Amino acid sequence: MWQRLSLRSRINLLLALVLTLGLAINVARLVLEAGPRVQAEDQSVTRLAREFVETIVAGLSEAPDPEARLDQIVRDLKRLRHVSITRQSDASAPANTREEDDDARSVPEWFVTLVHPRTTSVSVPIPIPGKSTALVITSIPNDEIAEIWDGILTQLAIGSAVALALLLITVIVVGRALAPLEALSQAMNGIEAGSYSVHVEPGGAPELAAICTKMNHLAETLGEAVEDKRRLAERAVSLQDREREEIARELHDEFGPYLFALRVNAGALMRLAKSGAPDPDGVRKHGVAILEQVNDLQQFTRRILERLRPVGLAELGLREALGALLRLWNESHPEVEIETTISGALGETGETADLTIYRIVQESLTNVFRHARATAVNVSIEPAGRPAGVSGNRDYALVRVRDNGRGLKPGEKFGFGLTGMRERILALGGTLTVASGEGGVTIEAMVPTHVL
């Protein structure tokens, strides 16, 4: 049952139990203190009454009629409150009923029995010549018991009123303090349903207000991430279409003319063969043309295959493929110094990681030679620890490409190639950062290795 209660109900119920327990403990304390208090009152009243009686009967033996005088004293003493004084021969008579007023009768019998279980009486000997008698003093603490009972009732009434007021105030305060929880729950349901425009008004306790603010930030961040994902998916489709379009155009613009030229030269050779006239120079000419066109077709095919997948990466490995790539860049741009460091501790990284590392280096060098106007480039690949905030126990490779070029302009966006590489690395569980300054651009990528 407790688990089914809401936080608000739990707090209110606990407070009600604490207040009830506190009130019960206070009333129990008053009840426990009532007995000793009544007993002390009995002893005090009895002692004072005994001293008073001993004082007034001190000269009783000298009176003309001691018996009559004693009876008069007893009648006068009946007007005393809290105590009953009778002669020893009348001790069995009912006590002074004048004490049994409405307040005394309003006290429950069980409470009287609890705080005053037995009557306190003392006997005071009376010196009368020729006769032995005594006065019996009996305490009647009805007023004290009634006062204690009234105090308990007052404590119950005031305590209950105060507890109820505190409970109502707490219910209101807790209700207002926890009001954002309902809004947070609705916001979470909205986020679960895909609505990232939800907004929770910060309120309640400072902790809840901070949670509301963070929830709003989380919803906004998730919305931006989903929108970025949508744009990237759209961009990926656009890039694929553009890549296909470029390949189709190159096939049409270059492959088509080569095939046409081959057809023309092959037709010329066939005509020479049909004519029957020997023409070695013509055959040689058309044969050389065919060989040149076939060689051009092979180079063109190699370029297309290189764009689709690096040639030799799977056969030769990452080191040899990168070495071939860097040699090509050195041959085409001898004025730029390219320094390469591949750690010997890198080991095998896996086919997917090899391709990702190769593409990172390829795309970075392409940007350097197209835009950076750099004179030196440093490429380093080494094993690295797991990035902060990334779970799992996979190994990582750190790929760093640094140039001394002009750097990025303020607000300059990444190109499609670098953006695509970032998304590829993020999809694999890695990170890619680009830092630009006066000393050039530094691209650092954490690539998880042994990716399936």
Side-chain angles (χ1 to χ4, degrees), residues 336-339 365 368-369 374-379 401-403:
V336 179
E337 180 183 356
I338 302 177
E339 181 181 355
L365 292 177
V368 168
F369 290 112
T375 59
V377 182
N378 180 273
V379 179
V401 180
R402 182 187 295 114
D403 66 73

Side-chain angles (χ1 to χ4, degrees), residues 358-389:
Y358 184 91
R359 291 302 190 192
I360 292 171
V361 176
Q362 184 183 44
E363 183 64 30
S364 301
L365 292 177
T366 300
N367 290 334
V368 168
F369 290 112
R370 282 183 179 177
H371 312 293
R373 300 176 186 174
T375 59
V377 182
N378 180 273
V379 179
S380 64
I381 304 172
E382 59 188 14
R386 187 173 66 250

Side-chain angles (χ1 to χ4, degrees), residues 62-133:
E62 300 176 359
D65 188 356
E67 285 287 342
R69 177 59 180 162
L70 181 58
D71 292 337
Q72 181 64 38
I73 290 174
V74 171
R75 286 192 298 270
D76 293 340
L77 291 177
K78 286 183 178 180
R79 291 194 296 267
L80 294 177
R81 296 178 62 87
H82 306 297
V83 70
S84 172
I85 302 176
T86 60
R87 292 188 68 168
Q88 192 170 20
S89 59
D90 301 331
S92 59
N96 191 352
T97 57
R98 188 162 50 85
E99 297 296 330
E100 298 178 3
D101 52 12
D102 293 339
D103 291 338
R105 288 193 296 270
S106 65
V107 180
E109 187 65 27
W110 64 268
F111 184 74
V112 176
T113 304
L114 178 65
V115 301
H116 193 249
R118 61 181 181 275
T119 304
T120 303
S121 300
V122 295
S123 179
V124 180
I126 304 299
I128 297 177
K131 188 177 182 180
S132 177
T133 186

